[in-house]
Amino acid sequence: MRIHRLKISAFGPFAGSEEVDFDRLSSHGLFLLNGPTGAGKTSVLDAICFALYGSVPGARQDAKRLRSDHAEPAMEPAVSCEFSAQGRHFEVTRSPAWDKPSARGRNGFTTQQAKTLLRERVGGAWTEKSGRNDEAGAEITGLLGMDREQFTRVVMLPQGDFAAFLRSKAADRLELLQKLFGTRRFEAVEQELTLRAQAARNDVARLNGELDLLAARAESEASALGLDDSAGPSLEDVPARMGWLQAAVGERSIELAAAAEEAEALSRLRAGKLESELSRMDRQRRLAAAIARQTAAEAALPVLEARAIRLEQHRRAEVLSGQLRAVDNSEAQLRHAAGAMESALTLLRMAAGEDPELAQLDLATLDAKTSGTMPNAMVAELNRLRSLLAVVEARLPDEERLRSLAARSAALEKKQEEVAAAEIKLSEQLVTLRAEHAALSGGLAPLEELASAAVLRAKEATAAEELLDVVRRFRSALAAEDLAKERHGASREVHLEAKKRWLDRREERLANAAAELASQLEDGAACPVCGSADHPALAEGASSALGLGQAEETARTAFETAEAQLGLASKQLTDASQQVAVLAGQGGDTPEEEALRIASVSRGAAEGSQQAAVELAELRQRLESVEARIEAAEASRSSARTEHAQVTSARSEVLDQRGSLDEALTELRAGHRSLTHRLRSLQEAAGTLEKAVESQAQLVKAKTRAAEAHEQLELALPDAGFSTAEDARAQLLDKNEAASLQEEVRAGHDEQARIAELFASDDLVLALKEQEENLVGDESGLDELRANAAQARQEARDAGLAAGLASRCLQSLTAISRDYEELASSGRAPMERAQLLTALADAAAGRGENSYRMSLNSYVLAARLEQVALAASERLVAMSDGRYLLQHSDAKAARGAKSGLGLEVVDQWTGHRRDTSTLSGGESFMASLSLALGLADVVQQESGGIQIDTLFVDEGFGSLDEQSLEQVMDALEGLRDGGRVVGLVSHVGEMKQRIGTQLQVVKGRNGSTLHISDAADRMP
């Protein structure tokens, strides 16, 4: 990772915009970041950190005062850093949240939120990657492979912090190393092991609870049987206790089962006696009921026989019911047919008097009561009407065609009138359009003449505008020339005065040359003039030679500055004079009023020509439109004339067809309005006549059926035992009455049969025998039997419940014992696992048998610290002239404190080891610097081997003597290998003399500024 450019605006102590070109600093490899205390050296590093990560290290971020108090109120704070990493080139710009002045904001300010812009240079152009703070931060962290804490420890080496690290305790070192190496995952492993151990212990506790619950359940199950606990094992010996309970409950269950069987046998015996007595008493009750039913049936026997005779007579008459119904139905049909005939004849007479279609029919001879057959004339008339109906119905489409021809004739007549009117209108329109075309054609020539000069007039107007602009610029150039002359004269005066002052100071220094040479002489050194090593009398000057030299140098610098200003003023005067001459050659000396008049006239002429061109285009467009309308009107008039002729011919043809068809249909209408009305009249007349003929036919059929029905009834009466039809009708019963009578007879017969079956059953035969032997029981003996049976049944039930309870208790104890053994067996593995996990968690957390009290996290960090000590020792050996080494120590700490993060310094001159806190100030600086550099190497390697090409080393160089400083500088020079750039942060004077390239921070009342200085800039 290499930093190329940094731009700071209104950030920290920097009031304006400051830009640092790190590529320029990189060309020297090693540079110094110096400046007085409080100038803002650390703020430069804060700006880099803020640009990359959006925050600054330590308490400076908590203060939330990133914006410069020296900046203008409306200036936005921002930091932009251009850097490269992993072969890619990026630029990130961040702005912290700040309060912008606003008239509408609260308290006169509006809070501006933090902003971020990340860009990547691809193919020579900047491409935006992200505009969100979180996305840009994640992208940069992924590129650099370090978070902010690691970056500030690796790239910005805080030597002072590492000096404290050397003297700190193990807990403090643990916190710093954990931040740098990101070993929280090992803490997570420790926590996970602790959680798993606790979960395993919880599982064991749960298993023990379940075992206790099973033991309690066993005791609860056995308590219901009232066992003697004194004979059993103690409650603490749960397996033996469960075996004893199971055996005792088994013995008790056998005893209770035998008692239950005895009680059940006694209950069955007493229940049998009760059931026998109840059966005998039930048989006696049913015998009494059967005797009562037999007596009632014998009393109702005469009535039953009379009803059976009446039912037999009804059945003989019912045989003739079909013939009787046929006679009744035929007589009803005969009456209905006669009435229908009378109605039909009445309607026919009325229709004949009103309908001319029936006028030819003679109705005087017709009579509904006496007529036997229909006259032939009526049948012939009906046939004639039906034939005429067929003819009229066949011609109905012709009448519809006649109406269609009439409608078409009317439409053609209307169309003929419309076409004639349209032809007249089109002729009038053509006259109007031709007149308009002639009027428009007359205005073409004047407009064409004006429009043809439009281009020329436009060029003249442009030239006039350019002349006016040249005149105005010429006037401004004259004023600029006058001002340049004044500045040139003033610069010339200053130049002459500065030259005179410089020459005076030079002459004064030359006059004092002997004193200057004397001031440079040293004891024992040869004189540059005479060569003598003795200097008995040194010349003295009016003032010191150094003062005169400085005065001459100051005067010379002022002269060179004045000379440069004079050259600049001369160039400005020459440029101004040349501009005046050029503009004068372009007509700039023309009076402005004349230029304005020419421009106005030319502009008016150009606008007139342009307007004429617009009007000409519009006129030509209108002419084209009129010509098109004339052509369309002529075509429409020609079409209208053709259409008028066609409509006239078609109307004549339709009128001829209509006349012929109307003449043919008039005869068929027979005075009616249309064939439809004639058809309806014929249909009504034929229908009336057809009803009369049909009624006569139905009357003849009814008389025939009535005669046949009477004849069949007379033949069937003797066979049924009746002399007349009235006798048969008198014996008939209605349906409900016959069904009721038949049900009563059947019920009487069924009752007699059932009574006979009852007296033949085994129970009633036994009851009769018991009655003869006087074996009838009483209620008092029955109550005693019921009480004895109930008592025996209750005792059997209680004994059965006790035996069942004992059996279930035995089953439950067996299941509980089995579950206890299985649970106890399955709990051995969780207990062993809980013990193993607890021991492992204690060892990982530095507890238990871990004698070093070193956690897993500390163990990993101890390994990292050992790597850091090795890497630091390589540099400390060079800085200390091969004397000191840093070595990791895992010795046990006193009084049980945590161990594993100790550091010792090895003095290779004496071979002794000692604590790092015993180092002197200079030695501590070298050790802490070596530690910081070694830590940077290890963290860089841990971060994926990302190359860090830009490093900053913090203060502390003032504590070194000259030799130590030389050795440290040699070590820092070694960091430049491979193109790395190292920036040293210091205000030590000797460092300024040693390092030629410097990034200087200049402090002022209005804020600090930055500028780069190298050795070439500081040479006289």
Side-chain angles (χ1 to χ4, degrees):
M1 178 267 186
R2 179 183 292 273
I3 300 174
H4 299 284
R5 184 180 59 84
L6 178 68
K7 183 177 181 181
I8 307 172
S9 299
F11 183 87
F14 304 105
S17 294
E18 306 294 331
E19 187 167 352
V20 180
D21 186 358
F22 279 94
D23 287 338
R24 178 182 173 185
L25 295 173
S26 300
S27 61
H28 301 278
L30 188 67
F31 70 91
L32 180 68
L33 174 59
N34 73 339
T37 301
K41 299 187 295 297
T42 304
S43 296
V44 175
L45 306 183
D46 287 348
I48 296 174
C49 191
F50 176 77
L52 296 176
Y53 294 98
S55 60
V56 297
R60 297 188 296 279
Q61 175 65 26
D62 299 334
K64 296 184 179 179
R65 292 290 301 232
L66 300 181
R67 187 179 183 276
S68 175
D69 294 333
H70 300 286
E72 294 294 330
M75 188 173 184
E76 179 183 19
V79 178
S80 178
C81 180
E82 185 179 337
F83 66 96
S84 58
Q86 299 186 18
R88 299 165 67 185
H89 203 94
F90 294 89
E91 180 192 68
V92 58
T93 303
R94 292 186 188 265
S95 175
W98 64 292
D99 294 332
K100 181 180 180 180
S102 174
R104 294 181 292 181
R106 186 177 181 182
N107 299 326
F109 293 92
T110 300
T111 301
Q112 304 294 310
Q113 299 301 322
K115 296 185 298 184
T116 300
L117 176 61
L118 177 64
R119 301 192 300 171
E120 181 179 5
R121 194 168 186 84
V122 179
W126 289 108
T127 302
E128 183 175 338
K129 297 285 289 182
S130 176
R132 290 180 51 180
N133 298 331
D134 53 351
E135 287 184 355
E139 180 83 12
I140 294 174
T141 301
L143 285 167
L144 303 184
M146 296 178 285
D147 57 17
R148 191 196 71 180
E149 291 294 332
Q150 292 175 318
F151 182 83
T152 55
R153 301 294 180 181
V154 174
V155 178
M156 303 174 180
L157 302 178
Q159 178 274 331
D161 290 352
F162 283 97
F165 180 82
L166 286 174
R167 297 186 294 271
S168 63
K169 298 180 180 179
D172 299 330
R173 291 174 181 170
L174 175 68
E175 181 179 358
L176 175 61
L177 291 172
Q178 187 168 282
K179 289 180 181 179
L180 290 174
F181 291 104
T183 58
R184 296 195 181 277
R185 61 185 182 276
F186 298 102
E187 279 190 349
V189 171
E190 295 175 17
Q191 296 171 1
E192 180 64 22
L193 288 173
T194 301
L195 292 175
R196 291 190 179 185
Q198 184 61 44
R201 290 194 294 271
N202 292 340
D203 291 341
V204 172
R206 179 179 56 78
L207 288 172
N208 291 333
E210 292 180 1
L211 290 173
D212 294 340
L213 181 60
L214 288 174
R217 282 180 56 196
E219 294 292 337
S220 176
E221 289 286 345
S223 64
L225 298 180
L227 300 176
D228 183 10
D229 288 345
S230 60
S234 65
L235 296 175
E236 286 74 14
D237 190 1
V238 177
R241 179 75 176 177
M242 281 194 174
W244 175 81
L245 286 175
Q246 194 171 357
V249 169
E251 295 175 359
R252 182 64 173 161
S253 176
I254 294 172
E255 295 174 358
L256 291 175
E261 289 179 0
E262 294 177 1
E264 182 65 24
L266 180 60
S267 175
R268 287 196 298 269
L269 178 60
R270 292 182 178 179
K273 291 181 180 181
L274 176 62
E275 182 67 24
S276 177
E277 185 63 24
L278 287 173
S279 298
R280 182 167 54 249
M281 293 186 70
D282 183 60
R283 286 194 296 273
Q284 293 299 322
R285 282 195 298 271
R286 284 190 285 163
L287 177 60
I291 293 171
R293 287 174 65 184
Q294 186 181 35
T295 304
E298 291 174 352
L301 187 58
V303 177
L304 181 62
E305 292 176 351
R307 291 178 177 174
I309 294 171
R310 180 70 180 88
L311 182 61
E312 179 63 24
Q313 291 175 350
H314 164 73
R315 287 173 177 168
R316 286 190 292 109
E318 192 176 18
V319 175
L320 301 174
S321 60
Q323 287 83 356
L324 291 173
R325 282 196 299 272
V327 170
D328 293 340
N329 290 337
S330 62
E331 290 179 351
Q333 291 176 0
L334 180 59
R335 289 191 299 271
H336 181 269
M341 180 62 187
E342 184 63 31
S343 299
L345 290 176
T346 303
L347 290 174
L348 185 59
R349 291 187 184 96
M350 293 173 60
E354 297 175 358
D355 194 349
E357 303 293 347
L358 298 173
Q360 301 178 11
L361 187 62
D362 184 9
L363 301 176
T365 60
L366 295 178
D367 188 349
K369 296 181 180 179
T370 60
S371 59
T373 59
M374 182 63 62
N376 293 331
M378 186 176 291
V379 177
E381 183 62 19
L382 179 60
N383 292 332
R384 185 188 69 82
L385 290 176
R386 287 174 175 171
S387 300
L388 187 57
L389 267 173
V391 174
V392 172
E393 191 172 5
R395 297 301 298 271
L396 282 177
D398 291 340
E399 190 171 50
E400 181 64 29
R401 181 165 168 265
L402 180 63
R403 283 194 295 270
S404 175
L405 289 172
R408 187 180 178 194
S409 175
L412 289 172
E413 183 180 4
K414 183 178 180 181
K415 182 67 175 179
Q416 187 177 16
E417 294 173 355
E418 291 175 354
V419 171
E423 184 179 356
I424 295 172
K425 184 177 180 181
L426 287 170
S427 299
E428 295 173 353
Q429 186 178 359
L430 276 172
V431 172
T432 303
L433 289 173
R434 289 193 178 101
E436 183 180 359
H437 184 271
L440 292 174
S441 300
L444 276 176
L447 290 176
E448 288 175 345
E449 183 178 355
L450 286 174
S452 62
V455 176
L456 178 61
R457 297 292 181 265
K459 291 181 179 179
E460 291 176 352
T462 300
E465 292 292 338
E466 291 176 353
L467 177 62
L468 179 60
D469 180 65
V470 168
V471 169
R472 290 172 177 171
R473 287 165 56 200
F474 178 76
R475 186 174 61 185
S476 299
L478 288 175
E481 184 183 23
D482 294 340
L483 180 61
K485 288 179 180 179
E486 293 179 6
R487 290 178 178 174
H488 181 268
S491 298
R492 184 175 180 79
E493 292 295 330
V494 172
H495 174 262
L496 292 175
E497 180 64 26
K499 184 175 182 181
K500 179 177 180 301
R501 190 180 301 110
W502 172 48
L503 293 175
D504 291 343
R505 295 291 181 270
R506 183 178 181 185
E507 184 178 355
E508 185 178 354
R509 183 181 65 78
L510 293 175
N512 200 38
E516 181 178 354
L517 288 174
S519 64
Q520 296 177 355
L521 292 177
E522 298 180 0
D523 293 339
C527 175
V529 178
C530 64
S532 174
D534 296 329
H535 316 296
L538 299 176
E540 297 183 356
S543 59
S544 67
L546 180 61
L548 290 175
Q550 290 179 346
E552 181 188 4
E553 181 65 22
T554 302
R556 185 179 68 81
T557 302
F559 165 70
E560 291 175 352
T561 302
E563 188 174 24
Q565 293 292 334
L566 178 61
L568 178 62
S570 299
K571 183 177 183 305
Q572 291 176 350
L573 178 60
T574 301
D575 292 344
S577 300
Q578 185 177 1
Q579 182 70 12
V580 169
V582 170
L583 293 176
Q586 295 176 355
D589 53 354
T590 303
E592 186 173 0
E593 293 79 5
E594 179 65 18
L596 285 171
R597 185 189 63 77
I598 294 172
S600 176
V601 172
S602 300
R603 192 183 303 114
E607 290 176 354
S609 296
Q610 187 175 6
Q611 182 64 29
V614 172
E615 292 179 358
L616 178 62
E618 292 178 354
L619 182 59
R620 286 174 175 169
Q621 186 175 3
R622 289 175 60 191
L623 274 171
E624 292 176 357
S625 176
V626 170
E627 290 172 354
R629 287 163 62 193
I630 290 173
E631 183 177 354
E634 289 177 346
S636 298
R637 186 175 65 175
S638 176
S639 299
R641 288 174 176 173
T642 303
E643 186 177 6
H644 185 270
Q646 293 174 350
V647 169
T648 301
S649 175
R651 183 168 179 267
S652 176
E653 183 179 353
V654 168
L655 288 175
D656 293 342
Q657 293 178 2
R658 178 185 175 189
S660 301
L661 188 58
D662 186 44
E663 183 179 355
L665 294 178
T666 300
E667 182 179 356
L668 281 176
R669 293 192 190 102
H672 291 278
R673 288 184 298 169
S674 64
L675 286 182
T676 303
H677 287 83
R678 176 71 190 282
L679 180 64
R680 192 179 300 118
S681 176
L682 289 172
Q683 288 174 342
E684 291 174 355
T688 303
L689 187 56
E690 190 174 3
K691 286 180 181 179
V693 173
E694 182 66 25
S695 298
Q696 178 62 30
Q698 292 297 328
L699 180 58
V700 172
K701 291 179 182 179
K703 287 179 178 181
T704 303
R705 284 195 295 269
E708 292 175 351
H710 279 285
E711 183 180 356
Q712 291 176 0
L713 179 60
E714 291 296 330
L715 293 174
L717 282 174
D719 294 337
F722 296 102
S723 58
T724 61
E726 287 71 16
D727 293 340
R729 291 181 190 277
Q731 295 301 323
L732 281 175
L733 298 173
D734 61 30
K735 184 178 181 180
N736 293 332
E737 187 178 0
S740 176
L741 186 59
Q742 184 177 357
E743 184 61 28
E744 290 175 1
V745 172
R746 184 186 298 112
H749 291 163
D750 292 343
E751 178 66 12
Q752 290 175 356
R754 283 194 292 269
I755 291 172
E757 290 177 359
L758 280 174
F759 280 97
S761 64
D762 295 338
D763 288 342
L764 290 191
V765 171
L766 181 58
L768 286 171
K769 183 178 180 182
E770 290 171 347
Q771 197 173 40
E772 292 174 357
E773 295 175 358
N774 197 20
L775 295 178
V776 181
D778 57 355
E779 289 293 332
S780 59
L782 184 63
D783 292 339
E784 183 180 356
L785 289 174
R786 284 196 181 100
N788 293 335
Q791 182 180 359
R793 185 169 56 252
Q794 183 62 39
E795 290 175 354
R797 184 181 298 111
D798 293 341
L801 288 175
L805 176 62
S807 177
R808 286 193 298 275
C809 180
L810 179 60
Q811 294 175 0
S812 180
L813 281 173
T814 302
I816 290 173
S817 179
R818 183 177 61 253
D819 293 344
Y820 188 90
E821 292 177 359
E822 292 177 355
L823 190 60
S825 177
S826 64
R828 295 188 186 95
M831 291 180 64
E832 294 174 357
R833 183 173 182 271
Q835 293 173 356
L836 176 62
L837 286 176
T838 300
L840 185 59
D842 290 343
R847 300 187 297 267
E849 298 180 0
N850 189 337
S851 59
Y852 280 87
R853 297 185 57 76
M854 184 187 298
S855 66
L856 176 63
N857 184 37
S858 300
Y859 177 77
V860 174
L861 291 177
R864 296 291 185 267
L865 182 59
E866 185 174 5
Q867 295 175 350
V868 172
L870 290 174
S873 295
E874 294 180 5
R875 292 183 170 83
L876 182 58
V877 167
M879 293 182 189
S880 62
D881 198 16
R883 180 177 182 180
Y884 292 118
L885 289 174
L886 284 175
Q887 189 169 12
H888 165 253
S889 173
D890 58 358
K892 288 186 179 180
R895 292 183 294 278
K898 293 186 176 182
S899 308
L901 295 179
L903 270 178
E904 293 179 340
V905 61
V906 179
D907 190 340
Q908 297 189 103
W909 289 1
T910 64
H912 293 290
R913 299 183 180 185
R914 52 192 173 108
D915 191 82
T916 54
S917 60
T918 62
L919 294 172
S920 66
E923 292 171 341
S924 294
F925 170 77
M926 289 188 293
S928 60
L929 179 59
S930 299
L931 189 63
L933 295 173
L935 183 63
D937 292 340
V938 174
V939 172
Q940 178 179 337
Q941 183 179 1
E942 286 292 321
S943 300
I946 297 176
Q947 182 66 31
I948 305 298
D949 293 328
T950 304
L951 291 176
F952 294 91
V953 182
D954 205 349
E955 291 279 3
F957 298 94
S959 60
L960 303 176
D961 57 27
E962 183 176 356
Q963 182 180 358
S964 299
L965 180 61
E966 188 69 33
Q967 293 170 346
V968 169
M969 291 299 297
D970 290 342
L972 293 176
E973 287 285 346
L975 295 178
R976 298 165 52 184
D977 296 341
R980 182 180 292 177
V981 181
V982 182
L984 305 181
V985 183
S986 178
H987 50 67
V988 176
E990 190 171 353
M991 297 292 289
K992 298 179 184 179
Q993 299 296 326
R994 285 177 171 274
I995 302 175
T997 303
Q998 300 178 11
L999 175 59
Q1000 297 179 346
V1001 185
V1002 181
K1003 181 170 65 175
R1005 295 179 59 86
N1006 297 324
S1008 299
T1009 57
L1010 295 171
H1011 71 273
I1012 297 175
S1013 173
D1014 52 28
D1017 295 336
R1018 293 192 300 275
M1019 292 180 62

